Amino acid sequence: MTLPDILLPLWAGQILQLLTIGVLAIITFMVVRSAIRLAVARLLVAGPVEDRDDTLSARELERRVRTLERLTLRIAAIIILLIAVLMALSTININIAPAIAGLGVAGIAVGLGAQALIRDWLAGIFVVLENQYSQGDVVRIAGVEGVVEDFSLRRTVLRDLNGTVHSVPNGQIVVASNLTRVWARVNLDVEVGYDTDIDEATRLVDSIGAELQADPDWGPRLIEPPAVVRINELGSNGVTLKVLGQVRAAEQWAVAGELRKRILAAFAKNGIEIPFPHRVMISRSAGSEVGPEPAATDGDA
C-alpha cells in the first residue's frame, strides 16, 4: 500500500469535516438571522403606544431598529465565522492555542482602547430600543438643549436656538429629557398687584385662553385651553397666578408667546397693573452739603 493510499482516507475525512463545519456555520447564521428579524418585528409592533399614531416617529423608529438589526447581524456573522475558522484549523491539525491566546490579548487591548466607543454604542442601542427621542424632537441631553438633527448608535447631533451644532456621544447621556413627545404644556406665571381684583384677573385670563381655542389659527394647536389653576405665590411685588394649558408637541413656545401678548393687551385695557420693582434715587447737589467750619488761628484774633 502506497503513501497516497494511506493519506487519501485522512484527507477525505478532513474534507468531510470541513464541509460539515461550513454547513453548520451557514445554518447557524440563518437561524440567528431569523431570530434577530423576529425580535426586530416584535420591537416594531410593541413600540410605545403614544407613538403609534405618529407616522414620522414610526418611520424613525423603524429606521433605527433596522440599523440595529444590521449591526447585530454583522457582529453575529463575525463571531460565527471566527469560530468556524478556528474549528477548521483544528481539523487540519493546526495548533489553534496560540491563535486563541493572541485573540484573547487582542480582544483585551481593543476592549481597553475602545471602552468609550463601546459605551456609546450600548447607550445608542438602548435609545433605539426604548425610543427615547427621534429626529426632529427637541431634547435636553448632557447639559445641551436643541433639535435632534441626526442620530446614530454612537452620537446624537443637536442644533440649539442659536444655530450651534452639538455632537453628543451617547455614552454621556445620563438623563434624556424629550420636550416634544406627543403633547406639551404651557406653564406661565402671571403677576398682578395686591390691589387687583383676583377674581376679575382670573376671569380675564381664562377668557383669553378660550379665545385662543376659538381662534382658527391657534385652536388646532391646543388640546386644553390655558387657564388659571391657582394662586401660586404671594411675592414682594404682587400676587402670582399659575396659568396652565395643554398643547400639541413643539407648540408650547409659540402658544406661550401669543398668550403673553394677549394678556398684556387685556390687562392694559382693563386697568390691571403688572407690578415691577420700583427704585428710588436720591440726588444731592454739591452746594447742599454743609461741611465743618475751619478752626480759628491766632492771626485771626
Side-chain angles (χ1 to χ4, degrees), residues 186 212 218 221-222 226 247 251-260:
V186 172
L212 270 180
W218 294 96
R221 308 184 188 191
L222 301 179
V247 299
E251 295 289 348
Q252 62 266 39
W253 298 288
V255 173
E258 181 66 15
L259 186 62
R260 291 188 186 98

Side-chain angles (χ1 to χ4, degrees), residues 76-98:
I78 292 174
I79 293 175
I80 293 173
L81 179 62
L82 185 60
I83 294 175
V85 169
L86 292 177
M87 292 178 64
L89 292 176
S90 178
T91 300
I92 59 179
N93 299 323
I94 295 179
N95 187 11
I96 63 173

Side-chain angles (χ1 to χ4, degrees), residues 63-81:
R63 183 182 70 85
R64 295 185 186 182
V65 172
R66 295 302 179 191
T67 301
L68 182 60
E69 175 188 0
R70 290 193 296 268
L71 177 63
T72 308
L73 279 176
R74 290 174 184 173
I75 295 175
I78 292 174
I79 293 175
I80 293 173
L81 179 62

Side-chain angles (χ1 to χ4, degrees), residues 190-194 231-241 275:
V190 178
E191 193 172 13
V192 297
Y194 277 105
I231 294 178
N232 197 52
E233 184 182 359
L234 301 177
S236 58
N237 297 314
V239 180
T240 302
L241 305 178

Side-chain angles (χ1 to χ4, degrees), residues 32-45:
V32 171
R33 183 177 62 182
S34 299
I36 291 175
R37 288 180 175 176
L38 180 61
V40 167
R42 290 183 177 179
L43 283 174
L44 291 176
V45 172

